Amino acid sequence: MVVGERKPFDEITRMLEGHKKVLVLGCGGCVTVCLTGGQDEVRVLSSQLRMARDKEGNPLEIIEKTVERQCDPEYIDEVQSLVPEVDAVLSMACGAGVQFMAERYTGTPVYPALNTSFVGGSKKEGYYVERCQTCGECKLYYTAGICPIARCSKSLLNGPCGGSTKGKCEIDPEVDCGWQLIIDRLESLGQMDRYEEIMAICDWRSNRDGGPRKMIREDFQR
Amino acid sequence: MADFEPTIVAFCCHYCAYGAADLAGSMRLEYPTNIRVIRLPCTGKITPVFLLRAFEKGADGVYVAGCLEGDCHFIQGNLVAKPRVNYTKKLIQEVGLEPERLEMYNMSAAMGPRFAEVAREFTERIINLGPSPLNKNVKIKKEQAA
Ligand code: SF4
Ligand code: SF4
């Protein structure tokens, strides 16, 4: 899933300066799972914003709403009647959701309440870790299912750097050396021959396809 | 502003703190009348939303009272609540409220006197902090106002 973190409260209040009525819009997708942009977070942020503005004697009216996913047109159509009622939309989705809202509702400013952090998963509730950097050319076959781009601090492709010590990375003794993890797992799977294969320099053209990427399933096009 | 009548919301779990409140009542213990008790099945039910909405509606102080640690009827509801209360302290601080306006207490159902004591202590604390800037109808103590 996409993991996002709430922006600092000051930054959000600054974005809303001058606005009298806003829609705080949550997303029921990834950011609900990582507890930063779902229904509960919409309520929390809305309460905070109203309180902060009330204190200044400059009240802010808020419509609170959460849709299934902000990265799907069907779902953001649901707020069609609400958007004209507000001066701005504060989206609590990832950057994709914010942009889908902005593209759909061209006449209203749409602001991000989150910083989109990474593609990862939940170790446990409230604890999220990065696992993929969407490089566009997955290498997990060679690396025993452990991503060298995301898990090696230097995104090296052929084994650890000289800073790897006792299985830890030199950037921080808490961080596992991604390459140590890869080698240990290749070994236990009896696949060390894959480590012997030299991986070519990463073709970063696939990383962003030389620009914004798209993925089209022709069989679903109408 | 040390002489106002604060409004305090106490979220109490059914099995311990609410029992303690009940006991305090049957023991005829006196405690300030500022406390508005809201009963929860378990403090594990608490989320920042509950606490923030209480402040938003003008509560001067809010506390959560659960079972003693290790004694939760639902095993660890009170341990779930504790970090949430701490997290919400940060949220109210961002808005400009003192984090001391929010607290978590633990007590057993047999601790009627402790319930009364917490009510007194916390009321005192809030009186010292003064009214919440979000409290629209601050009540000044009758004698003073007269
Ligand atoms: S808008 Fe972003 S956070 Fe929400 S479901 Fe889509 S990708 Fe996930
Ligand atoms: S190799 Fe690329 S696609 Fe595969 S997990 Fe790593 S970053 Fe993601």
Side-chain angles (χ1 to χ4, degrees):
Chain A
M1 68 173 154
V2 179
V3 176
E5 277 177 277
R6 203 172 89 180
K7 279 183 176 291
F9 188 65
D10 299 357
E11 190 183 339
I12 299 175
T13 46
R14 257 182 281 125
M15 291 192 279
L16 297 183
E17 262 166 32
H19 293 309
K20 296 255 173 288
K21 185 170 179 185
V22 299
L23 168 63
V24 177
L25 187 64
C27 175
C30 318
V31 293
T32 290
V33 181
C34 70
L35 307 171
T36 47
Q39 194 183 49
D40 258 27
E41 296 301 319
V42 165
R43 290 178 175 154
V44 164
L45 179 57
S46 302
S47 271
Q48 277 190 295
L49 288 169
R50 278 191 298 260
M51 286 197 269
R53 288 278 288 259
D54 242 24
K55 255 183 89 220
E56 292 172 7
N58 176 21
L60 179 67
E61 208 185 319
I62 294 180
I63 302 179
E64 300 174 19
K65 171 93 182 156
T66 299
V67 295
E68 193 67 29
R69 278 194 303 278
Q70 285 186 38
C71 54
D72 265 313
E74 300 72 330
Y75 296 119
I76 54 174
D77 276 351
E78 284 172 21
V79 295
Q80 196 178 352
S81 62
L82 300 178
V83 174
E85 285 186 41
V86 296
D87 317 333
V89 176
L90 182 63
S91 162
M92 297 196 79
C94 73
V98 178
Q99 293 186 58
F100 259 56
M101 279 298 293
E103 284 167 38
R104 170 75 179 76
Y105 299 103
T106 48
T108 309
V110 180
Y111 306 133
L114 304 187
N115 288 325
T116 308
S117 314
F118 53 79
V119 176
S122 345
K123 273 281 188 195
K124 55 181 183 177
E125 202 184 0
Y127 187 155
Y128 310 99
V129 289
E130 179 165 24
R131 285 293 180 267
C132 173
Q133 286 186 6
T134 68
C135 76
E137 211 181 61
C138 197
K139 294 145 180 78
L140 294 172
Y141 170 81
Y142 301 100
T143 56
I146 293 163
C147 173
I149 312 247
R151 305 287 303 270
C152 164
S153 308
K154 300 170 189 173
S155 300
L156 298 182
L157 285 190
N158 291 287
C161 70
S164 174
T165 315
K166 297 202 175 97
K168 298 293 176 189
C169 175
E170 68 178 339
I171 63 143
D172 179 345
E174 299 272 295
V175 174
D176 289 324
C177 165
W179 271 102
Q180 185 72 54
L181 297 175
I182 293 170
I183 291 167
D184 291 348
R185 187 161 153 82
L186 279 173
E187 233 159 21
S188 75
L189 292 172
Q191 293 178 340
M192 271 306 272
D193 50 316
R194 294 191 189 166
Y195 182 53
E196 298 301 320
E197 255 176 80
I198 303 293
M199 270 195 264
I201 297 172
C202 188
D203 183 355
W204 289 108
R205 278 176 308 181
S206 61
N207 178 239
R208 294 199 64 233
D209 281 358
R213 289 176 276 198
K214 56 179 182 279
M215 195 282 269
I216 298 169
R217 272 280 299 266
E218 293 299 346
D219 49 340
F220 273 83
Q221 302 310 305
R222 277 183 284 187
Chain B
M1 250 311 184
D3 293 307
F4 83 111
E5 283 291 356
T7 302
I8 293 170
V9 178
F11 291 97
C12 297
C13 79
H14 171 75
Y15 289 96
C16 290
Y18 195 79
D22 226 17
L23 182 61
S26 26
M27 289 172 77
R28 305 282 185 267
L29 297 177
E30 271 191 44
Y31 60 85
T33 55
N34 309 72
I35 317 292
R36 311 280 178 274
V37 174
I38 295 181
R39 180 169 54 160
L40 299 172
C42 172
T43 52
K45 174 76 186 150
I46 275 290
T47 67
V49 179
F50 285 50
L51 305 170
L52 288 180
R53 297 270 146 129
F55 281 112
E56 197 185 341
K57 294 216 147 80
D60 300 293
V62 176
Y63 65 87
V64 177
C67 306
L68 293 174
E69 289 188 4
D71 283 347
C72 172
H73 196 81
F74 298 99
I75 304 170
Q76 46 188 9
N78 51 0
L79 301 180
V80 166
K82 192 175 165 179
R84 293 189 183 163
V85 170
N86 288 334
Y87 172 72
T88 311
K89 282 177 179 238
K90 289 192 204 125
L91 297 177
I92 63 170
Q93 196 164 24
E94 285 179 335
V95 174
L97 295 180
E98 299 87 345
E100 296 78 24
R101 291 188 186 273
L102 177 61
E103 207 53 77
M104 166 119 196
Y105 295 99
N106 299 86
M107 62 191 75
S108 80
M111 294 166 84
R114 175 69 183 143
F115 182 88
E117 184 181 279
V118 163
R120 274 194 298 272
E121 272 175 23
F122 194 76
T123 306
E124 190 111 329
R125 180 200 287 194
I126 299 301
I127 289 175
N128 288 332
L129 284 169
S132 156
L134 297 162
N135 186 347
K136 295 268 154 59
N137 29 37
V138 180
K139 289 188 211 73
I140 306 295
K141 274 194 180 147
K142 292 226 176 57
E143 321 80 87
Q144 306 300 98

